[in-house]
């Protein structure tokens, strides 16, 4: 890829990862609109790693608390509150891990063909989901759900109030984000708002829940990157570093924005983008 393509991908990822408008969907649309070659799922995950580092830096206190909870789980230190939250985050990660492994191993290929008549290219279900009609539908459908959850949802719970049930339900929602156009942050914030978390707390919950899921996805692509050769590794590192900068700035903006505004602007954008894609393609 050229540096321009890497820069554009990084900016798009950095902005859309934390806004509830689907980063994976927008990454797929970049080559469609700009006539770039499709960067493929491997680089998509690489830029998500840049976003992951931004989350850890921005929410360092919370991330360190989760780390302390993990250490306490194996007998290192004493942090009962952090230990409990650590396990709820782990529980919320399990659905996405199972779904991700099922897709990567091809276990869901037969289901996708039988239920949706999807044509699986080279046995790669994830790559076969990268088409505009699906992105458009998901942008509109999950955008409407986000709007309803944000309008009717209560705002009487905080991240510290999370229970195992919350972790599991938001984790199940997170697994849906493997389908392009859904938006990991959008669908998890939707679930959190339904469960009574305020906007800022829903975003905080969503971002912290992404840490193990994105880290796990990054680990899964390491063998593929090694096989792809040094050029792909260098491209992934450069794009990931650029994404970190864009993601950190976007996250700071969003957390301040949600203190005084609703999700309506994102709902309108999602629906408008979905309608535009259906009209154009």
């Amino acid at each position: 890829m050229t540096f321009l393509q890497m820069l554009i991908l990084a900016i798009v990822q950095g902005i859309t990862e934390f806004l509830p408008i689907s980063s994976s969907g927008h990454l797929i649309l970049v080559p469609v609109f700009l006539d770039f070659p499709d960067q493929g799922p491997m680089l998509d995950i690489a830029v998500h790693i840049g976003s992951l580092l931004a989350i850890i830096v921005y929410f360092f206190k919370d991330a360190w608390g989760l780390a302390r909870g993990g250490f306490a789980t194996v007998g290192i230190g004493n942090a009962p509150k952090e230990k409990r939250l650590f396990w709820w985050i782990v529980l919320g990660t399990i659905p996405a891990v199972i779904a991700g492994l099922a897709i990567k191993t091809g276990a869901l290929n037969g289901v996708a063909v039988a239920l949706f008549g999807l044509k699986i290219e080279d046995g790669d279900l994830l790559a076969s989901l990268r088409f505009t009609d699906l992105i458009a539908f998901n942008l509109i459908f999950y955008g409407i759900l986000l709007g309803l959850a944000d309008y009717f949802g209560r705002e009487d719970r905080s991240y510290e109030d999370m229970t195992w049930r919350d972790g599991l339900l938001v984790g199940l929602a997170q697994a849906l984000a493997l389908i392009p156009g859904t938006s990991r942050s959008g669908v998890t914030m939707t679930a959190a708002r339904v469960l009574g978390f305020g906007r800022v707390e829903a975003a905080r919950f969503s971002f912290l829940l992404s840490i193990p899921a994105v880290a796990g996805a990054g680990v899964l692509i390491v063998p593929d990157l090694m096989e792809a050769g040094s050029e792909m590794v260098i491209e992934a590192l450069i794009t990931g570093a650029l994404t970190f900068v864009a993601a950190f700035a976007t996250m700071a903006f969003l957390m301040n924005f949600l203190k005084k505004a609703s999700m309506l602007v994102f709902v309108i954008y999602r629906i408008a983008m979905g309608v535009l894609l259906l009209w154009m393609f």
Side-chain angles (χ1 to χ4, degrees):
M1 294 191 302
T2 64
F3 180 78
L4 177 61
Q5 185 178 1
M6 288 187 282
L7 178 62
I8 291 174
L9 288 172
I11 292 173
V12 170
Q13 164 64 18
I15 292 175
T16 60
E17 170 66 14
F18 301 113
L19 303 184
I21 57 178
S22 178
S23 61
S24 60
H26 281 76
L27 287 173
I28 293 169
L29 294 176
V30 167
V32 173
F33 281 109
L34 299 181
D35 198 27
F36 287 148
D38 191 313
Q39 68 276 1
M42 275 198 299
L43 202 69
D44 285 358
I45 296 176
V47 295
H48 278 74
I49 299 300
S51 301
L52 169 65
L53 295 177
I55 294 172
I56 293 173
V57 172
Y58 189 88
F59 289 103
F60 181 76
K61 183 179 178 180
D62 291 317
W64 175 241
L66 292 177
R68 288 182 60 210
F71 290 137
T73 298
V74 294
I76 302 174
N78 182 28
K81 182 179 178 181
E82 290 81 359
K83 181 179 177 180
R84 177 175 60 85
L85 291 172
F86 169 80
W87 276 110
W88 301 162
I89 291 291
V90 170
L91 180 63
T93 303
I94 292 174
V97 171
I98 293 174
L101 289 174
I103 288 176
K104 187 165 182 67
T105 59
L108 293 179
N109 289 4
V111 175
V113 172
L115 293 181
F116 306 108
L118 189 66
K119 182 179 179 182
I120 309 298
E121 299 177 6
D122 300 322
D124 190 342
L125 177 58
L126 197 59
S128 301
L129 293 173
R130 298 166 69 85
F131 59 93
T132 54
D133 283 352
L134 179 62
I135 295 171
F137 172 81
N138 285 334
L139 282 170
I140 296 170
F141 177 73
Y142 289 105
I144 293 172
L145 288 185
L146 174 64
L148 293 173
D150 189 53
Y151 185 79
F152 292 106
R154 308 185 318 274
E155 296 189 51
D156 54 6
R157 302 181 65 198
S158 68
Y159 170 70
E160 286 75 14
D161 298 324
M162 181 171 45
T163 66
W164 70 267
R165 175 175 169 270
D166 300 322
L168 180 60
L169 291 176
V170 179
L172 288 169
Q174 179 173 245
L176 296 172
L178 291 167
I179 305 173
T182 301
S183 172
R184 195 208 61 79
S185 62
V187 76
T188 51
M189 280 192 253
T190 297
R193 292 290 288 119
V194 169
L195 293 169
F197 291 88
R199 294 186 183 102
V200 172
E201 291 299 297
R204 182 183 174 201
F205 190 174
S206 169
F207 296 157
L208 293 174
L209 185 61
S210 74
I211 292 176
V214 177
V219 170
L220 287 177
I221 67 164
V222 168
D224 293 333
L225 281 175
M226 294 300 101
E227 289 180 9
S230 59
E231 186 175 353
M232 176 66 80
V233 174
I234 292 171
E235 289 178 353
L237 290 174
I238 292 174
T239 312
L242 294 170
T243 301
F244 169 84
V245 177
F248 189 90
T250 302
M251 193 159 28
F253 160 78
L254 180 63
M255 296 303 289
N256 287 314
F257 178 83
L258 291 179
K259 291 177 182 178
K260 52 190 176 183
S262 72
M263 303 279 192
L264 181 60
V265 63
F266 305 122
V267 174
I268 293 173
Y269 175 84
R270 289 182 65 114
I271 294 173
M273 176 61 79
V275 171
L276 177 64
L277 290 176
L278 291 174
W279 175 69
M280 291 184 64
F281 300 100

